[in-house]
Structures are given as structure tokens and as C-alpha cells.
Amino acid sequence: MSAYLNVLKELPEHVQLVAVSKTRTPEEILAVYNEGHRIFGENKALELRDKAEQLPKDIEWHFIGHLQRNKVKYIVPSVSLIHSIDSGRLLEEVNRRAAANGKIIDVLFQIHIAKESAKFGFSEIELREFLEQDIAEKFPNIRPVGLMGMATHTEDDDLIRSEFHGLNELFTELIDSGKFRTSTPILSMGMSIDRGIAIDEGSNMVRIGTSIFGPRQL
Ligand SMILES: *Cc1c(COP(=O)(O)O)cnc(C)c1O
């Protein structure tokens, strides 16, 4: 059985799989596509744009990396979900470009849950404060549909668990206060290495590269 099917068969039905295809060739992506997969994640704007041009049009492209505002224009025509909104200014630019393209773009807010300072995202406090404004009125061309977070890169499973647990608590709070414009909110957490803990802690979308495609050449 392929690595892809092995990953897929162990996922609970309510958990969606984003196959993280950054650095992979169109041929490698097509092999997984031909097994029936349609959701792929990229973390570089130009790479996403170029792959979207070359590969089948029914692929759902997710943007999962840090997004610079001057690169938003490259992904807006083909992206279906941006996981990594980490500032109000970025959201503003996505809204502006989406409007210019006549689109409404689904986004997740990225929350900084890890102990490492290198990771991006809103703090919980910053996001709560940001969401006090009327997002639907101010940014009519984006639709907030959930949260994303990356745990600390560590062997300490208890730390990973507590970070994911905290993110799920914020997620539930924001659902209860009506902050997401969808009936099926998304909690994107878990990669190859920590997906088991993430799913235990309430993830309903995992982003997996290595377990599907093998180790990346850096
Ligand atoms: C690369 C990446 C992943 C996938 O990582 P793997 O360890 O290859 O599964 C998930 N999320 C983000 C944001 C990434 O950049």
C-alpha cells in the first residue's frame, strides 16, 4: 500500500488531510492525485502559483506558510484556503486582492502556540482583540473559518499536547461567540510527527508532508 493510503486509512473520518507538497515535483504530486487526493498544501507563493498552473484544475490549493503581503497577489487566483493569517495587515491585503479578483477567500487565523519564537501567528489576546471589530463588514471578501497552530518542535509530548489543547479551547470559545462564518469550522493542527496528539486534542485538519512523500531534501 502507498504511504499516502497508509496515512489516509489511519485518519478518523472527521479529519481532513492536506497533503503538504512543498518542494515536491509535479510528478510526485500527480502520483498522489491519481490515488484520488485533491487537497495539497504549499508554503511558498510562487511555487503554489506555478504548480496550480501546471496541475489539474480540480486541485484545492491550501497556503500553509508565512505569507508576505507583497506575495498575496500570486496566490489569490488559485488558493482555496489560507491557513496562515498572522496579522491584521495581511488580512487587509488578502481582502483587497480577493475583491479585485471577485472572490471570497476562506482563511484560518494562525495562533502562536509554540514556545519557539521563530513561529508566526497572533497571540490569543491579540486575536480576541482583533475579532472585536466587525470582520464581515470590514473585510467582506474574506471568510474566517477557523484556526491553525504549530506546536513546539520537541520530544516532550506533554508540552505538544498542552499547546494543542489550549488552541482547541480558544477554537471552541470563538465558535461559541460566533466568530467563524461557517457551519463547519476548521481546526488545522498536526503534522507528520505530532498528528496523533493533534487529533486526540480535537484537530479536524492535519497537514502532512513527510509521511506521504518521504523526507524532504533541504
Ligand atoms: C512543511 C509543513 C508541514 C508538513 O510537515 P511534515 O513534517 O513534512 O509533515 C505542515 N505544516 C506546515 C505549516 C509546514 O510548513
Side-chain angles (χ1 to χ4, degrees):
M1 193 183 290
S2 71
Y4 164 69
L5 288 174
N6 270 316
V7 168
L8 195 64
K9 79 169 192 301
E10 70 174 40
L11 290 181
E13 207 165 332
H14 70 278
V15 179
Q16 279 193 283
L17 172 61
V18 180
V20 175
S21 51
K22 64 189 187 195
T23 78
R24 313 297 177 172
T25 63
E27 291 69 31
E28 287 175 285
I29 297 171
L30 270 179
V32 176
Y33 176 91
N34 286 331
E35 295 195 82
H37 200 69
R38 292 295 178 269
I39 306 178
F40 292 89
E42 292 285 338
N43 72 339
K44 299 239 159 59
L46 291 169
E47 195 174 332
L48 186 152
R49 180 196 66 181
D50 293 346
K51 286 175 174 171
E53 271 171 20
Q54 295 173 48
L55 286 159
K57 296 302 167 221
D58 63 344
I59 289 180
E60 250 185 63
W61 292 101
H62 289 199
F63 193 83
I64 61 171
H66 177 59
L67 182 56
Q68 290 168 283
R69 279 177 293 134
N70 62 359
K71 303 268 173 70
V72 169
K73 57 178 177 287
Y74 299 127
I75 68 167
V76 157
S78 42
V79 79
S80 65
L81 178 65
I82 300 175
H83 290 230
S84 45
I85 297 296
D86 56 12
S87 73
R89 293 175 74 201
L90 176 60
L91 192 68
E92 205 172 296
E93 177 63 7
V94 172
N95 181 68
R96 192 170 78 80
R97 295 281 177 182
N101 277 259
K103 292 185 76 172
I104 292 178
I105 295 186
D106 287 353
V107 303
L108 309 179
F109 295 108
Q110 182 172 354
I111 308 299
H112 187 268
I113 55 173
K115 293 286 170 284
E116 298 137 334
S117 56
K119 297 207 163 87
F120 291 96
F122 288 90
S123 71
E124 292 196 14
I125 293 173
E126 284 165 351
L127 185 66
R128 279 198 199 90
E129 198 176 278
F130 184 71
L131 293 179
E132 276 168 18
Q133 54 187 330
D134 187 341
I135 299 292
E137 183 193 60
K138 203 161 169 207
F139 306 101
N141 288 76
I142 64 104
R143 213 159 60 108
V145 297
L147 301 181
M148 183 271 244
M150 294 171 81
T152 304
H153 188 72
T154 173
E155 309 270 282
D156 181 353
D157 284 0
D158 292 338
L159 178 61
I160 296 172
R161 186 174 295 281
S162 76
E163 291 171 355
F164 284 149
H165 189 84
L167 186 58
N168 191 14
E169 283 183 339
L170 177 65
F171 180 63
T172 306
E173 172 196 315
L174 296 177
I175 291 172
D176 291 346
S177 54
K179 298 297 186 189
F180 301 130
R181 283 171 60 199
T182 174
S183 57
T184 53
I186 294 171
L187 181 55
S188 167
M189 57 186 199
M191 330 202 320
S192 292
I193 192 166
D194 56 15
R195 66 186 187 269
I197 303 175
I199 292 167
D200 278 355
E201 293 302 330
S203 168
N204 59 22
M205 183 173 279
V206 290
R207 309 174 311 273
I208 295 182
T210 307
S211 295
I212 294 174
F213 294 101
R216 269 182 303 276
Q217 251 86 56
L218 292 177

